[in-house]
Amino acid sequence: MSSQLQLYWRRNQTGFGGASVGRLIVHDIEADGDHHALSLKVEFLPDASASDPRAPTYWVRLEAAMRTQVAPAQAVGSVRIDHDSQPPFPPTPPNRTTNVTWLWQLLPGDVELIERIHSSQPAAPFYVDLFVDGIAQTADGVFGVEGHTSVKIELSQWRRLLEQVGYSIAPSGLAALSAVALADNNWREAVKRLEPARDALGRGETHAALEICLSQLEALETAPYRIETWKKRFTAMPDQKRDSFAAWAAGLGLYLNRVGHHRSRDERDQEGDLTSMPLDHWEAELTVASTQILVAYLLRLTAVPS
């Protein structure tokens, strides 16, 4: 990936407004596990020469922000630019480079916001807007600088980056769950087992996602759509709890089996084939999330005596 951002002097500045300061090129986005953040690999290519009286000499302030492209635009995370991450103006000082790294720090809520906006086009790349705002010192005084561009992140890269910095991919980061629950080994294992289902969702393959969910339940118990299956497995539970749990697990198994796996028994399409059950992406997302909760619960019940 590569995105170019043209920096301009602010337009309300006499003699400077609208003139170009230089270009910022975002060459790549990488994971920074030490800071639990993403890092923007940025290169600065200044336009003015050092002999130009308008040429900046140093940054008084330099800030950046990421925002969504869907109105109303919302900030997603925060971009940290330390002093050493401010790209220098010519002449480049010793031990400095025009290639710098900015940290893009994302909270779980920021990740969920991006995922939610992206859910309408699940297989498409992610797009966010990068805004840069600064103040630069020149021979003629201190003046403001601004610019913005669109940053494209491929879906596969986004998934990989979040995993590398320790985030569970939505719909695993559910707001109702505490940090303790999300850090539990059984939850993490459920996240791993449902990863193929989330990949299918990312490709827009809703029925395939549900079939994968069913396979994960079948890996834990044969015929997971039958209440008796679960009753036999958890005989040590009090009857009332066991019966309620069995109804919950079997109900989800039955839904996955009939909606995700089986076709209609009566209705046929124009080619004469039995039709699939209707299933939109929103519904499939909720079902994958529900399956992940159940799988995590089953793993914990298996590990801890009832």
Side-chain angles (χ1 to χ4, degrees), residues 19-303:
S20 175
V21 181
R23 286 179 297 148
L24 287 171
I25 304 176
V26 182
H27 287 291
D28 199 6
I29 300 179
E30 298 179 359
D32 187 325
D34 292 339
H35 295 92
H36 199 61
L38 304 182
S39 61
L40 307 178
K41 303 301 180 182
V42 180
E43 181 182 8
F44 180 51
L45 301 175
D47 284 346
S49 66
S51 60
D52 188 334
R54 297 189 308 178
T57 54
Y58 66 89
W59 293 104
V60 177
R61 176 177 60 81
L62 183 62
E63 298 177 346
M66 287 287 197
R67 300 176 190 167
T68 62
Q69 291 190 333
V70 177
Q74 301 179 65
V76 280
S78 58
V79 180
R80 195 177 90 190
I81 305 177
D82 298 328
H83 176 74
D84 290 342
S85 300
Q86 297 176 350
F89 294 104
T92 304
N95 302 320
R96 292 290 300 278
T97 174
T98 56
N99 291 276
V100 294
T101 298
W102 297 351
L103 286 181
W104 181 19
Q105 297 174 310
L106 294 166
L107 296 174
D110 299 313
V111 176
E112 292 294 337
L113 172 61
I114 294 176
E115 293 270 346
R116 187 169 64 251
I117 292 174
H118 183 258
S119 63
S120 60
Q121 295 180 303
F126 287 81
Y127 289 92
V128 288
D129 283 335
L130 171 63
F131 289 81
V132 175
D133 182 85
I135 298 174
Q137 176 71 54
T138 75
D140 290 344
V142 176
F143 298 93
V145 173
E146 61 189 1
H148 78 275
T149 189
S150 175
V151 177
K152 174 184 176 181
I153 309 174
E154 294 293 343
L155 179 61
S156 58
Q157 181 187 19
W158 171 254
R159 300 286 191 224
R160 184 178 68 256
L161 289 172
L162 291 187
E163 289 179 351
Q164 289 174 345
V165 296
Y167 279 118
S168 298
I169 308 301
S172 63
L174 301 174
L177 295 176
S178 68
V180 175
L182 292 172
D184 183 82
N185 288 335
N186 298 298
W187 179 260
R188 292 181 179 274
E189 177 62 21
V191 171
K192 180 180 178 181
R193 295 189 184 198
L194 270 298
E195 184 65 32
R198 287 191 295 275
D199 288 343
L201 283 178
R203 298 190 299 270
E205 299 172 358
T206 54
H207 288 87
L210 265 61
E211 287 192 25
I212 294 169
C213 289
L214 179 61
S215 296
Q216 288 303 320
L217 290 187
E218 289 175 333
L220 294 170
E221 193 64 64
T222 303
Y225 36 81
R226 294 177 180 170
I227 291 180
E228 291 304 318
T229 294
W230 303 109
K231 284 185 178 182
K232 291 178 181 178
R233 177 166 182 153
F234 298 107
T235 55
M237 282 185 179
D239 289 351
Q240 183 170 316
K241 180 178 180 180
R242 180 199 63 198
D243 293 349
S244 301
F245 174 78
W248 170 37
L252 179 58
L254 185 64
Y255 176 87
L256 293 170
N257 190 41
R258 290 187 173 181
V259 177
H261 184 56
H262 287 300
R263 292 173 173 265
S264 169
R265 296 181 179 180
D266 303 310
E267 298 182 12
R268 296 180 180 272
D269 58 24
Q270 294 179 345
E271 286 73 34
D273 297 324
L274 292 172
T275 59
S276 299
M277 291 292 99
L279 178 66
D280 62 31
H281 194 273
W282 180 85
E283 183 181 2
E285 278 194 19
L286 293 184
T287 304
V288 172
S290 299
T291 306
Q292 187 166 298
I293 292 173
L294 178 58
V295 169
Y297 190 27
L298 285 168
L299 292 173
R300 184 171 178 82
L301 287 176
T302 302

